[in-house]
Amino acid sequence: MKFVQIIGFATERLEEMQQLMEEAGQRTEGRTGGPTHRMLLKDRDKPNHYLAVLEFESYEEAMRNSDDPETSKLAEQLGALSFGERVYTNCDVLDSGDLK
């Protein structure tokens, strides 16, 4: 079953965070088990508030990714660029599809 993790965070340094994400993506290119899809959303009602949506093939793949030292390093770097509490929401995907 596909799995999605949603991470809510606040930052005034989004460009720096995006640069770190791009660099991490280049370092892990070709690695299996990481996210299969990602989205970055900006909350229109809360300044400097964002949601990162990461899709994985399964919960187990997501947990293996979380245990990877590269993931831990990136999370630490991103945390240093954000303020307030990060909120994690873990979801099993029951249904998904494109709408016409």
Side-chain angles (χ1 to χ4, degrees), residues 3-7 21 35 37-39 52-56:
F3 174 80
V4 169
Q5 185 171 68
I6 304 166
I7 307 165
M21 292 292 294
H37 186 78
R38 64 178 170 77
M39 291 177 66
V53 181
L54 302 169
E55 181 179 294
F56 296 86

Side-chain angles (χ1 to χ4, degrees), residues 15 18 73 84:
E15 294 81 15
Q18 289 175 305
K73 177 182 172 186

